[in-house]
Amino acid sequence: MRIAADTSVCVGAGMCALTAPRLFDQSDEQGTVVLLDPEPRGDDGAAAREAVERCPSGALSLAE
Ligand code: SF4
């Protein structure tokens, strides 16, 4: 599984970092998503799916 994050559409809502803090952070300047681990495994894979579903802007996507 591979996560892609498009910072040009991210609105900095922070749901991703709240849902999966091992995978996502937010930049200090604009609050946009920072991908910490683009290839999650195991439990992190399930957390990644949840974060993608919760993202309000559609900035996150997954490729298997
Ligand atoms: S949940 Fe979506 S919109 Fe919010 S910070 Fe994460 S990627 Fe950006």
Side-chain angles (χ1 to χ4, degrees), residues 41-64:
R41 289 165 210 84
D43 288 349
D44 284 342
R49 279 184 228 284
E50 197 174 338
V52 170
E53 285 173 13
R54 288 184 176 182
C55 173
S57 71
L60 303 177
S61 59
L62 285 178
E64 298 297 334

Side-chain angles (χ1 to χ4, degrees), residues 9-17 26 31-33 51 54-60:
V9 298
C10 172
V11 296
M15 284 307 297
C16 55
Q26 290 177 267
T32 50
V33 62
R54 288 184 176 182
C55 173
S57 71
L60 303 177

Side-chain angles (χ1 to χ4, degrees), residues 7-42:
T7 54
S8 70
V9 298
C10 172
V11 296
M15 284 307 297
C16 55
L18 285 172
T19 305
R22 281 205 299 261
L23 305 178
F24 304 98
D25 198 356
Q26 290 177 267
S27 73
D28 291 335
E29 301 81 34
Q30 296 168 332
T32 50
V33 62
V34 175
L35 205 44
L36 301 177
D37 180 1
E39 295 187 6
R41 289 165 210 84

